[in-house]
Structure formats: structure tokens, C-alpha cells
Amino acid sequence: MKKVLIIFFTVISFFAFSEEIVTSKNGNKIILYDDHTWAEYKTGSVDYSSLKEQLRSGRKSTEQEIGTACEMLSQGWKYTMPRPKSAKAGWGISDGRTTWWYGYWYNSKTSQYSRTTPEKSASGLYLGDNRNNAGSWRNGGSPSEPDIYMFLLSDSGGPY
């Protein structure tokens, strides 16, 4: 039965648009990507109290922001902060000759990357742009300050 489902969703993925979401017979949501890959999310209750403990502390945030961050974390999203590559680079330094490693989003459940903060779709899943900035760098001064979700869902780094 599992092979039939895999074949079925593979065939469907050839006709799906970027990040189309379908629901399987057992209620799980399946994301079909335009590169013919797919990822399955199991639905069910989420223990936000344990997820709150995994969020980064040290910055003021509202209950709504914490709730959104917990939802994103439950779906596998984490953020890697930009970091200086050159010795002259540092947060808040606008010297355009400095070099920085890009920050990026990574979903551990789907192995997908995103340059932009994942957004909640109509199905309730947070979807990124499927672009990978990991391991790439740019010239041009300090990046802009990370938003609250970048901070809460990162492990370290940033201007704090």
C-alpha cells in the first residue's frame, strides 16, 4: 500500500504546481514540489510547552510571536543567522567592503531551504521559497537586523 501511495504521489507531482498541498486518506498533508519531490507532514496535536523551551531566549516577544515560532518549529523550520566572513565585518558596520555568510532557513523534516521567512499557507503549513543560501556569501556591509522569528528559531548569532 505504501508503494502505491508513493507512486501515486510521484505521478501527481509531475502535474502539480510549485508547493501544491494534498491531503492523504489518513489526514496527513503532503507537499508536492515543482522539482518532483514531496514531503509528508503528520497532523495532530502539538505540545507547545516543550517547543517553547527550544526557542531562543533573550529578546522580548509576544505570545502570538511565540505561538507562531512554535508552529514553525513543530513543522521543522530553524534559522541559521548570517555571520561575518571577513575580519572587518561585524553587526552594524556598514562598510561595503566586508563579507558575510548568508543567513538561511532550513526544514529538518522536508530537507528544504528558504531564503525568505516561511509563510503560512491556507492549509496551515509553513512554506519557504525552496532557495538555498547555505554556504554562500555576499559583499556589502552588515545585513539588516533579523526579525523575531529569525531570532527565536536560531541557536546563536545576530547583533544581540
Side-chain angles (χ1 to χ4, degrees), residues 39-158:
E40 182 175 8
Y41 282 94
K42 294 185 180 183
T43 56
S45 62
V46 178
D47 180 17
Y48 286 116
S49 60
S50 69
L51 291 174
K52 279 184 182 182
E53 294 172 9
Q54 296 176 47
L55 298 178
R56 188 173 172 190
S57 61
R59 193 166 164 196
K60 215 173 203 178
S61 53
T62 66
E63 282 302 313
Q64 183 179 4
E65 291 168 335
I66 290 172
T68 299
C70 286
E71 269 187 287
M72 293 172 75
L73 183 60
S74 74
Q75 293 181 21
W77 289 104
K78 288 288 280 184
Y79 186 71
T80 300
M81 284 283 182
R83 58 186 170 80
K85 180 180 180 196
S86 67
K88 294 180 182 180
W91 286 96
I93 297 174
S94 61
D95 185 346
R97 298 171 294 169
T98 61
T99 310
W100 283 80
W101 293 101
Y102 278 109
Y104 59 91
W105 288 93
Y106 178 71
N107 189 313
S108 60
K109 293 185 177 183
T110 63
S111 300
Q112 296 290 320
Y113 288 87
S114 182
R115 290 181 186 178
T116 60
T117 301
E119 293 184 18
K120 192 173 189 175
S121 66
S123 68
L125 297 179
Y126 284 86
L127 304 174
D129 62 11
N130 290 329
R131 293 181 165 183
N132 183 356
N133 266 355
S136 58
W137 52 273
R138 67 168 184 83
N139 292 324
S142 173
S144 52
E145 186 172 316
D147 66 30
I148 190 64
Y149 303 112
M150 292 171 174
F151 180 81
L152 290 173
L153 292 167
S154 65
D155 293 326
S156 63

Side-chain angles (χ1 to χ4, degrees), residues 29-48:
K29 297 194 185 290
I30 298 170
I31 303 173
L32 305 172
Y33 296 103
D34 59 356
D35 64 356
H36 308 296
T37 59
W38 59 280
E40 182 175 8
Y41 282 94
K42 294 185 180 183
T43 56
S45 62
V46 178
D47 180 17
Y48 286 116

